[in-house]
Amino acid sequence: MITSTTSPQTNLPISQVLSENEDQLKYEFRNCSDIQIRALQSPASLNCLVVYTDGLIDAKLLEQVLIPSISSLNSTNRDDLAFKYKEIVDLSEVTEGVLEGKVVILLEGQSFGFLAELSDYKQRSVEEPTTEASIRGPREGFTESLRTNTSLIRRKIKSTQLKFQAYEIGTTTKTPMVLVYMEGYVIPEVLAEARKRINNIHTDRIFDSAYVEEFIEDHPMSVFPQILNTERPDTVAASLMEGKVALIVDGSPNALIIPMTFWSGFQSAEDHYERFIYVSAVRCLRILLVFLSIFLPSVYVALTTFHPQMIPLNLMMSIAASREGLPFPTVVETLLMEMMFEGLREAGLRLPKAIGSAVSIVGALVIGEAAVQAGFISAPIVMIVAGTGIASFAFPRYSLALPFRLLRFPMLIAGGLLGIYGVAMGIVFILIHLVTLNSFGVPYLKPIAPFTRKQWKDTLIRMHHRFMK
């Protein structure tokens, strides 16, 4: 008899009648063509059922090892399965095991079954991260396999203090996830808060670490990320040694690091592999370019529109000459060029890799030159937008570049409406917002606000490794 079920988690005991188990499983897996339910019979007339997901198991081992061993079973040696495989007692364990890529064995006359670990699904090999490439340092990056990712971290930190706490999130997807921390190093308050927020995740689906990030971040409506994501095992290992916590989700090559500060978004993966003098200089350059990327267009519009007396006379005369006869005010043409630049950048990401970069670069040059020759925009605007675009590529973290790309437009409008006073008001609002942000109880602008002198060793600059204990 088939019992109607509404979910695979219904705890029905395994029946001693094999046909009843087969009917129930066929009902549970109806319209699932990848689920194989095979009835076998040994020479000793011992009936059994083998259930698995095609494509998630090693078919060669199944056909050459498991099935021949099952076919040789009889009433005297069938108990040997208990020494080889995990025992299960209800059909919910059968369902979960099959969907996880295991092989389930059910025998006639027994109210329990066995789980055989034959998982062999296709996965990407360990490769260099595409979003965090470095000139010097390890070339390995996370994959979509949870166990591969944990092994990459374990290779970096060979200590029993390295802990992996397992979770299963998503009532339907049942996505495995691990909370990683270093016992004795981790900040206790951060660890407790991370566990609390993970336990409060209530959803039916988790497909990537980005889903988890949105559930556990402090300020979901803020444009600034409060959780750092990375594809590099060495970055995770270094963060764990600093007392931070990492989250690794099965199916995602991006690990989450908490807490995150504003300044950690300016740190590149190779900053700890180059000489500290060079790294300190480059970090200062990055911060300068980042602020140019958000404020350069708005300051240019504010000065040329409302405060020309603040610009050197020769430069102002050159700008005025280039703008002679143009139909649009400076703020409008700057907005148009910025939107065109962002459109070309987005199009370059979506196009095939072989032509994406060529289209974005050549398109920007052709459109900019054509717009100047046609008299729609001035040449200085093309230079300002191009400089802003180059500065925006200096972000080591893509997630932190997005809010600055977004805030560039309201800053530009404020400068076009209120001049330098509008730019100043925009800066004040951004600073107020950043000061009020927290990441798992840690101030977002720490160690500058609040000022923590000891943590300056690896913030705006990087000290020598002998001083960074």
Side-chain angles (χ1 to χ4, degrees):
M1 180 183 70
I2 299 175
T3 303
S4 176
T5 60
T6 57
S7 68
Q9 288 73 40
T10 304
N11 293 323
L12 296 174
I14 295 175
S15 173
Q16 294 186 3
V17 181
L18 198 62
S19 59
E20 292 184 3
N21 295 326
E22 183 177 5
D23 292 341
Q24 183 63 44
L25 290 173
K26 285 183 177 180
Y27 175 81
E28 192 67 62
F29 291 118
R30 60 192 182 280
N31 298 326
C32 298
S33 59
D34 59 330
I35 306 298
Q36 303 296 314
I37 302 176
R38 296 173 58 176
L40 301 177
Q41 187 177 44
S42 67
S45 299
L46 183 62
N47 297 326
C48 63
L49 211 61
V50 178
V51 190
Y52 59 92
T53 303
D54 192 16
L56 294 184
I57 61 139
D58 190 328
K60 187 175 181 180
L61 281 177
L62 176 70
E63 298 295 339
Q64 296 182 3
V65 178
L66 184 62
I67 289 184
S69 65
I70 294 176
S71 299
S72 62
L73 289 175
N74 53 52
S75 57
T76 59
N77 67 357
R78 66 181 182 180
D79 293 334
D80 292 343
L81 291 176
F83 296 99
K84 298 180 180 179
Y85 308 118
K86 178 183 177 181
E87 188 174 305
I88 53 177
V89 296
D90 59 62
L91 289 177
S92 67
E93 294 179 282
V94 174
T95 303
E96 293 174 4
V98 170
L99 295 177
E100 289 174 358
K102 298 180 176 62
V103 178
V104 175
I105 306 167
L106 301 177
L107 302 177
E108 182 74 52
Q110 291 188 341
S111 58
F112 53 88
F114 302 96
L115 279 180
E117 181 64 66
L118 295 182
S119 302
D120 186 37
Y121 53 87
K122 302 299 179 182
Q123 62 182 31
R124 184 167 58 93
S125 60
V126 177
E127 301 170 348
E128 183 177 1
T130 56
T131 59
E132 297 177 77
S134 64
I135 298 174
R136 186 175 180 180
R139 294 288 194 273
E140 56 189 12
F142 288 130
T143 70
E144 287 74 19
S145 171
L146 177 64
R147 197 48 61 201
T148 300
N149 295 341
T150 57
S151 67
L152 290 173
I153 300 175
R154 180 66 73 179
R155 285 179 56 197
K156 301 288 183 184
I157 307 176
K158 303 176 182 66
S159 170
T160 57
Q161 292 177 285
L162 179 61
K163 306 299 182 181
F164 296 97
Q165 184 175 348
Y167 290 89
E168 189 176 79
I169 50 179
T171 56
T172 300
T173 59
K174 295 183 177 296
T175 307
M177 183 184 75
V178 293
L179 174 70
V180 193
Y181 63 95
M182 284 289 294
E183 191 175 57
Y185 289 74
V186 67
I187 305 171
E189 296 80 8
V190 172
L191 179 60
E193 186 65 23
R195 288 170 171 167
K196 175 183 175 182
R197 297 188 189 185
I198 292 172
N199 291 327
N200 288 334
I201 295 178
H202 301 293
T203 181
D204 60 341
R205 73 201 77 169
I206 294 291
F207 297 114
D208 188 84
S209 59
Y211 286 69
V212 179
E213 180 179 357
E214 291 195 4
F215 275 104
I216 65 175
E217 61 184 352
D218 291 67
H219 308 275
M221 302 307 296
S222 174
V223 296
F224 290 94
Q226 299 117 58
I227 299 175
L228 191 67
N229 66 83
T230 179
E231 292 185 73
R232 298 182 63 97
D234 56 333
T235 301
V236 172
S239 300
L240 295 176
M241 296 296 292
E242 294 174 1
K244 297 182 180 180
V245 175
L247 294 176
I248 304 177
V249 180
D250 188 39
S252 174
N254 291 282
L256 303 178
I257 299 175
I258 51 179
M260 173 189 177
T261 63
F262 180 73
W263 310 108
S264 62
F266 295 97
Q267 299 177 7
S268 173
E270 62 182 349
D271 282 358
H272 291 84
Y273 304 124
E274 297 289 353
R275 290 180 56 82
F276 73 99
I277 298 176
Y278 169 76
V279 169
S280 299
V282 170
R283 280 190 182 178
C284 295
L285 178 61
R286 281 188 204 132
I287 295 174
L288 175 63
L289 292 174
V290 164
F291 286 107
L292 282 179
S293 71
I294 184 173
F295 298 125
L296 182 59
S298 56
V299 171
Y300 173 80
V301 169
L303 293 180
T304 55
T305 305
F306 294 96
H307 315 284
Q309 69 277 9
M310 299 179 65
I311 303 176
L313 181 60
N314 291 337
L315 179 58
M316 190 62 224
M317 290 177 63
S318 176
I319 294 174
S322 67
R323 287 197 44 78
E324 187 175 354
L326 296 181
F328 304 113
T330 305
V331 63
V332 174
E333 60 179 348
T334 308
L335 278 172
L336 290 176
M337 282 301 297
E338 285 288 354
M339 288 189 290
M340 183 61 67
F341 184 87
E342 291 296 330
L344 287 171
R345 175 153 53 179
E346 194 67 19
L349 292 174
R350 303 292 171 254
L351 289 171
K353 186 181 297 184
I355 63 173
S357 59
V359 168
S360 58
I361 295 173
V362 175
L365 293 174
V366 171
I367 292 175
E369 181 65 21
V372 173
Q373 293 294 330
F376 287 115
I377 62 172
S378 61
I381 290 297
V382 178
M383 298 177 60
I384 292 294
V385 173
T388 302
I390 293 173
S392 67
F393 290 127
F395 285 91
R397 305 290 177 182
Y398 180 76
S399 59
L400 191 62
L402 295 177
F404 282 93
R405 287 169 58 184
L406 180 64
L407 290 174
R408 188 186 308 157
F409 291 95
M411 287 295 298
L412 184 56
I413 295 173
L417 294 177
L418 301 174
I420 202 69
Y421 302 104
V423 176
M425 290 174 60
I427 294 175
V428 170
F429 284 137
I430 293 174
L431 287 177
I432 291 174
H433 178 67
L434 290 175
V435 169
T436 58
L437 290 181
N438 289 279
S439 177
F440 287 77
V442 176
Y444 200 55
L445 292 182
K446 190 179 180 180
I448 294 180
F451 181 78
T452 309
R453 183 178 179 181
K454 291 183 178 180
Q455 295 183 5
W456 272 66
K457 297 177 181 180
D458 192 21
T459 306
L460 301 181
I461 61 173
R462 181 178 78 77
M463 299 293 288
H464 195 283
H465 280 300
R466 70 178 65 181
F467 302 114
M468 295 173 55
K469 294 182 181 179

